Structure formats: C-alpha cells, structure tokens
Amino acid sequence: MAAAAKLALSHSITKSPSLCSFSKFTADSRGFSVRANACLDAVKQPMSTDLVSLEYADLNLPPADVGHVRIRQHVNPLSSSFSAPAPVPDWKEVFRDPTLPLMVDIGCGSGRFLVWLAKRNPDSGNYLGLEIRKKLVKRAESWVKDLALTNAHFIFANAAVSFRHLVVSYPGPLTLVSILCPDPHFKKRHHKRRVVQQPLVASILDSLVPGGKVFLQSDVLDVALDMRNQFDAESIVMQHIDEVDSSLPCDRDGWLLSNPMGIRTEREIHAESEGGTIYRRLYQKRTT
C-alpha cells in the first residue's frame, strides 16, 4: 500500500470511536491491550481494493474516465436491451495479427485481468473481453489505448447472444475461454439469468480447437457446481485437466488448488481477502 494510503487509513482508524477510542482509560489492562491490538491489526490489514492495486501495480493503469453514472453491479441479461448481437469488428483493425490464438474472457469485468495477460504475451496470443456493462468496456478500451496494446480488445456484448457469431468470424484459432466469478443470480427464479447455460456451452465446445481449454471459477460454491455439472456432462468432448496434466494438482473433489493463469482477477482478490474460497475447474477439448 502506498505511504499516503497507509497514513490515511491509519488516521481514519485512530479517529474512529468504534475502533480506537482510548479516551476512556480502564484499569483493566487486558481489555486495553485487546483493543489496542485490534486497532493495530486494522491498520496493518490492507483493504481489498489496495490489494488489487498492488497485484496490478506494474500496469500503471491511469484512472480512466467512465463518466459519473454509477456502474451497475448486476444486470439482467434476458432484458430486451441486451438482445441485439454485438457488431463483428474488423479483426485486422483491432488486432495487429488476427491469426494468433485467441483467448475470450466472458464477463471480463474491469478488464485488468486480460490487459495484464495481453501485456505479458504481446506476440503469442490475442485477448478478447466480452462484458455486458458498457462503461467497463469503455474504460478497458481506454487502458488498451494508453498502453498501446495491439493484442487486446473489449466488446460490449451479451455473451449468450453474441459469443458464437463473434468467434466464428475470427480468423485464428480459439484456444481458451474463461468464465471467472460470473454473476451468481442467487434466487432460484433468476438462475436462468446465469451466463453458463447449455446453448453457450455448446457454442464454446463447437468453437474451441482440439486441445483448447475452458477455465471456470467462482467464489460461490453453488455457481461453481452449476458450471462444473454442465461441462462434466460434455465428457465425450471435454475432459477435466486432472485426467491429462498431473502438474496442475486438484483436491479430492476435482477443484484446482491454485490459479493457473499467473494472476488473480479482482473478484478473486476481494473474495480471498475476506476469507472466501475460490472453486476452479479447467477443461481441455479432446483431440480425438
């Protein structure tokens, strides 16, 4: 955490009567010690937003302007406003080499995750983010421009509607699809809004090249199980990574023990900082 941020956090805590008010001294030294330690722990413990900044610090991303309208955390993908397919871009304009292997991140959120990958792999792959919140796409595209990346692009799109026709038009091979901490839509009547539905699964399987991979994760077990069950049902086409690559260890339930991508997503950082568990699966398309 930057020195200024630490100072501000420390100042806000020491001024908070609920955490660190020592004006009423008590003779109970043990109680005083407990309260003092709690305050020190609060000062030492960085907020999850600070952890995100630290993890992505080397990108030096500027605070791109996305306007003053509040960005909605949850949207209904079944709304008529998201029913129109996204226009197919001119791939020669958005990627320097549109024949490179393509990774598509469905529900890419802020886009930091893909921007980080694109910056580290400038010549070996292209990175496409699909996001249903337009302001996040606008900000991500501004970062791509600021960093002069020629292998990253973001599209405002409802993946359920647009995934197939976008990837079919891409000149190169689709080698990786990720769906990371999608909106859980907790209420049972809203499960139909979840992004992983059979038509999208079929589109992904049809579009991936043999040996291509699907990476799934969620900090909500019910959502992770839902995604797992849908891809496990496609075992004729897909196999879980523990069947083909022992270098990626899993627990006894088949969840990956670590993130194989080299960096965590923002939601992943927030969840783990709060003590949550991330449930991960990695599938590979059979080659025969």
Side-chain angles (χ1 to χ4, degrees):
M1 191 190 306
K6 287 183 178 179
L7 179 62
L9 180 59
S10 174
H11 179 74
S12 66
I13 291 174
T14 55
K15 292 297 183 181
S16 171
S18 62
L19 288 175
C20 302
S21 177
F22 300 122
S23 58
K24 294 182 180 180
F25 182 81
T26 172
D28 184 351
S29 60
R30 182 180 178 185
F32 180 89
S33 177
V34 168
R35 294 177 67 197
N37 287 337
C39 292
L40 290 173
D41 288 343
V43 173
K44 293 177 183 177
Q45 183 65 35
M47 298 177 65
S48 59
T49 51
D50 298 314
L51 294 174
V52 171
S53 298
L54 286 171
E55 193 136 347
Y56 288 92
D58 65 335
L59 287 179
N60 295 315
L61 295 175
D65 180 19
V66 293
H68 301 290
V69 179
R70 181 172 176 267
I71 296 173
R72 297 184 63 188
Q73 294 301 310
H74 306 285
V75 298
N76 178 9
L78 302 181
S79 169
S80 59
S81 58
F82 301 117
S83 62
V88 174
D90 184 339
W91 298 112
K92 293 180 181 179
E93 290 186 1
V94 299
F95 294 131
R96 177 179 55 83
D97 181 359
T99 66
L100 290 176
L102 179 68
M103 172 184 176
V104 178
D105 187 24
I106 294 175
C108 60
S110 73
R112 282 184 178 89
F113 173 69
L114 275 193
V115 168
W116 188 90
L117 289 173
K119 186 177 179 182
R120 273 156 182 72
N121 303 283
D123 302 314
S124 59
N126 290 328
Y127 299 86
L128 176 65
L130 304 182
E131 174 55 48
I132 203 169
R133 290 166 292 176
K134 186 178 290 188
K135 283 189 171 292
L136 293 182
V137 173
K138 178 182 176 182
R139 183 171 64 183
E141 276 297 288
S142 73
W143 286 337
V144 168
K145 183 177 180 181
D146 290 334
L147 295 175
L149 297 175
T150 59
N151 64 331
H153 185 61
F154 295 87
I155 297 178
F156 166 59
N158 180 350
V161 175
S162 300
F163 176 85
R164 182 184 289 273
H165 82 270
L166 287 172
V167 298
V168 165
S169 69
Y170 181 73
L174 176 66
T175 57
L176 177 59
V177 175
S178 57
I179 306 174
L180 309 178
C181 298
D183 193 328
H185 293 291
F186 288 108
K187 295 180 180 179
K188 188 172 182 178
R189 69 175 184 272
H190 291 162
H191 285 187
K192 60 186 177 182
R193 298 180 182 180
R194 289 180 175 177
V195 65
V196 179
Q197 305 287 346
Q198 200 283 324
L200 179 60
V201 172
S203 294
I204 293 172
L205 269 54
D206 291 344
S207 305
L208 276 173
V209 296
K213 294 180 173 65
V214 177
F215 180 42
L216 310 169
Q217 74 176 23
S218 177
D219 57 312
V220 179
L221 179 57
D222 177 64
V223 175
L225 289 171
D226 187 17
M227 295 193 292
R228 183 195 72 178
N229 292 342
Q230 294 197 57
F231 278 90
D232 278 358
E234 303 293 343
S235 59
I236 295 177
V237 180
M238 305 292 288
Q239 55 189 148
H240 192 250
I241 200 64
D242 60 359
E243 299 178 40
V244 292
D245 188 351
S246 60
S247 68
L248 295 173
C250 301
D251 66 17
R252 62 182 182 181
D253 295 318
W255 304 112
L256 289 170
L257 294 178
S258 61
N259 187 331
M261 300 303 295
I263 196 167
R264 298 178 295 170
T265 66
E266 288 182 60
R267 178 58 202 163
E268 197 174 347
I269 296 169
H270 291 312
E272 290 189 328
S273 72
E274 296 169 359
T277 299
I278 306 297
Y279 302 94
R280 306 179 181 92
R281 303 279 288 182
L282 182 63
Y283 294 88
Q284 179 172 301
K285 188 172 182 178
R286 296 182 186 274
T287 56
T288 57

